[in-house]
Amino acid sequence: MATERDEAHKQLLSALNAACEVYAMEAQATSAKYYEKALARAEASSSDPKKKFVPFVIMIRRKEPTSTTSLSIEILWARRFPMKQEGRIRLITSAIAKGKHNHYSRRSIGSGPAWFEELFPEYEPRLTALRSLIKANRQARQTLNKNHRANSYYSVNSLIQ
């Protein structure tokens, strides 16, 4: 009985992890589409080569699963800015705090070029949906693990008594 439960737990956890991987791939694809479109708009909007960069990007943070934690995916907007270091210019990327909800408000991002004002409402709803799915997936994995541990504890105790 315990091995059947353990096997079912592993299969469910594996399915949830696979779903999370799909969400991560979708987020990565969305990020790439956004960057391609943003770069084209940045190049079209300025003849100055120094201003032909994308000041806002979509950042995907991924924490691989360990023996004590599950796969974790974060989808964030990030600000990029040029910084001069050792005689050359590097682009620094800094994540923008989202807050406790699954979406960014336009105000939380800050000011940007006019083309970004058009792209943000096109991409943020997709990212919000992905964040919500990832959050629900994480909660399902946590509940599954918690219930599995609790049931395993009660099974062991009933065998002892």
Side-chain angles (χ1 to χ4, degrees):
M1 176 95 170
T3 56
E4 288 175 17
R5 183 176 30 242
D6 291 342
E7 188 57 35
H9 175 258
K10 285 179 186 175
Q11 287 177 354
L12 282 170
L13 205 53
S14 178
L16 287 168
N17 284 335
C20 196
E21 289 288 352
V22 170
Y23 303 146
M25 288 188 301
E26 178 65 28
Q28 196 63 50
T30 301
S31 175
K33 286 178 194 171
Y34 161 78
Y35 188 76
E36 188 177 297
K37 207 179 246 190
L39 189 59
R41 298 247 180 125
E43 288 175 350
S45 70
S46 177
S47 59
D48 182 357
K50 292 181 180 178
K51 294 186 179 180
K52 289 184 180 180
F53 81 98
V54 178
F56 298 103
V57 293
I58 299 168
M59 179 188 288
I60 313 296
R61 282 189 187 155
R62 180 185 178 96
K63 294 178 186 170
E64 294 300 326
T66 65
S67 61
T68 57
T69 63
S70 297
L71 173 65
S72 174
I73 307 289
E74 279 185 291
I75 305 169
L76 307 163
W77 284 98
R79 177 180 290 277
R80 294 173 63 206
F81 51 93
M83 179 179 257
K84 194 169 188 174
Q85 286 184 336
E86 300 170 9
R88 61 185 189 136
I89 296 178
R90 291 185 48 194
L91 284 179
I92 306 298
T93 305
S94 175
I96 299 170
K98 175 179 55 61
K100 64 181 179 179
H101 301 290
N102 288 331
H103 68 278
Y104 280 88
S105 69
R106 180 59 198 93
R107 188 180 306 149
S108 68
I109 301 291
S111 63
W115 56 262
F116 179 73
E117 301 296 330
E118 296 169 9
L119 289 181
F120 180 81
E122 181 181 334
Y123 284 90
E124 180 55 22
R126 284 188 224 174
L127 299 174
T128 299
L130 286 169
R131 284 186 208 103
S132 295
L133 288 168
I134 290 168
K135 182 178 181 179
N137 182 288
R138 182 178 55 247
Q139 289 170 339
R141 283 183 283 157
Q142 288 171 345
T143 301
L144 179 68
N145 285 332
K146 181 180 170 184
N147 288 339
H148 180 70
R149 283 190 304 271
N151 287 333
S152 296
Y153 172 77
Y154 289 121
S155 295
V156 169
N157 279 347
S158 66
L159 292 174
I160 294 171
Q161 294 175 356

